[in-house]
Amino acid sequence: MRRVPFLLYLFSLLLLVHGTALTTPISPNERICFYADVDKPKEKIGFYFAVQSGGSFDIDFEIRDPNDRVILDGQRERQGDYVLTANSLGEYMFCFENDMSTLTEKLVDFDIMVESEPRREAPAKPGQIAEQTSALEESVYRLNGMLMNIKRMQKYFHTRENRGFSLVKSIQNRLFWYAVLESLGIIGMAVGQVYILQTFFTKTGRRYKV
């Protein structure tokens, strides 16, 4: 009967995470921003993004704090994975800008996570589970770290798959239009040859049979 409070205490040691996972298209010369609220001091902000398709798979990004100060930015980045400490309370701004591209739309996959680690509270009866807590707590944190690594690997392979598909689609379109132009060239050469042969057997508008 005493295991239920212990399990509740154990699960309360896990990181509390609230975040947003989105995929958004960004048109040429477009700037788009997203926002995340931080209501506790020293919270951790996780920011991950990867360009899935479009052009050279690069994008400009910028992160601003509630005081409108730039705390992190980058130009022509293909992907990034950052963890920041929120020193100010309020609304943080995450912006992407596709200014370097005039024709190509970019598809960006990104996560914005605000993490907070709750304080450890003593059990109801001191010494009741003191010896078991540290070992199980360490195992829980180890499992949490392994799950985060698996999540990062899934994002990495997901990005590689999307970029590979985008490249295959681009090559397929190029081959299609190359085949169309080649066919038009062959047809044009055939029409030109017929016209040239006709001029060989034509004199002052009269044709001679051979």
Side-chain angles (χ1 to χ4, degrees), residues 1-14 121-125 127-140:
M1 300 297 294
R2 296 178 181 273
R3 291 185 177 180
V4 175
F6 171 67
L7 291 177
L8 292 176
Y9 165 74
L10 186 61
F11 288 137
S12 68
L13 298 176
L14 291 174
E121 298 179 357
K125 295 181 180 180
Q128 182 179 355
I129 53 175
E131 296 181 357
Q132 301 178 7
T133 301
S134 59
L136 291 176
E137 180 181 330
E138 183 180 354
S139 299
V140 169

Side-chain angles (χ1 to χ4, degrees), residues 24-208:
T24 179
I26 303 178
S27 303
N29 297 319
E30 182 183 13
R31 177 183 174 89
I32 184 170
C33 297
F34 300 88
Y35 302 87
D37 288 324
V38 174
D39 53 5
K40 295 180 182 180
K42 303 300 181 182
E43 281 190 328
K44 300 296 182 181
I45 302 176
F47 177 58
Y48 166 83
F49 73 92
V51 182
Q52 305 293 328
S53 64
S56 300
F57 305 105
D58 55 356
I59 199 75
D60 297 341
F61 76 94
E62 184 180 72
I63 303 176
R64 291 179 177 267
D65 65 4
N67 300 318
D68 203 31
R69 291 195 302 262
V70 178
I71 58 178
L72 184 65
D73 61 352
Q75 295 182 347
R76 298 183 180 274
E77 298 287 343
R78 298 168 66 97
Q79 66 184 64
D81 192 358
Y82 307 97
V83 177
L84 309 173
T85 301
N87 296 319
S88 302
L89 302 183
E91 195 173 59
Y92 284 75
M93 182 170 62
F94 303 82
C95 296
F96 296 101
E97 188 171 3
N98 190 17
D99 195 27
M100 83 288 291
S101 179
T102 57
L103 298 174
T104 306
E105 181 182 76
K106 305 292 179 65
L107 186 66
V108 180
D109 184 18
F110 69 96
D111 287 343
I112 300 175
M113 297 169 289
V114 180
E115 305 176 353
S116 60
E117 183 177 355
R119 296 180 180 179
R120 301 179 184 180
E121 298 179 357
K125 295 181 180 180
Q128 182 179 355
I129 53 175
E131 296 181 357
Q132 301 178 7
T133 301
S134 59
L136 291 176
E137 180 181 330
E138 183 180 354
S139 299
V140 169
Y141 283 121
R142 187 182 299 112
L143 288 174
N144 182 67
M146 294 172 64
L147 289 175
M148 292 301 293
N149 289 333
I150 293 174
K151 184 179 179 180
R152 290 190 182 94
M153 291 299 297
Q154 287 179 336
K155 290 179 179 178
Y156 171 74
F157 286 112
H158 177 69
T159 300
R160 288 194 60 181
E161 180 183 3
N162 288 339
R163 289 178 178 176
F165 178 77
S166 179
L167 287 174
V168 170
K169 187 176 180 180
S170 177
I171 294 174
Q172 182 180 5
N173 291 333
R174 293 178 183 179
L175 290 176
F176 171 77
W177 288 112
Y178 176 79
V180 170
L181 292 176
E182 186 180 21
S183 299
L184 293 176
I186 293 174
I187 294 174
M189 290 177 61
V191 172
Q193 289 176 353
V194 171
Y195 175 76
I196 293 173
L197 289 175
Q198 287 180 347
T199 59
F200 286 161
F201 303 100
T202 302
K203 184 176 182 181
T204 63
R206 182 182 299 177
R207 299 181 180 179
Y208 297 90

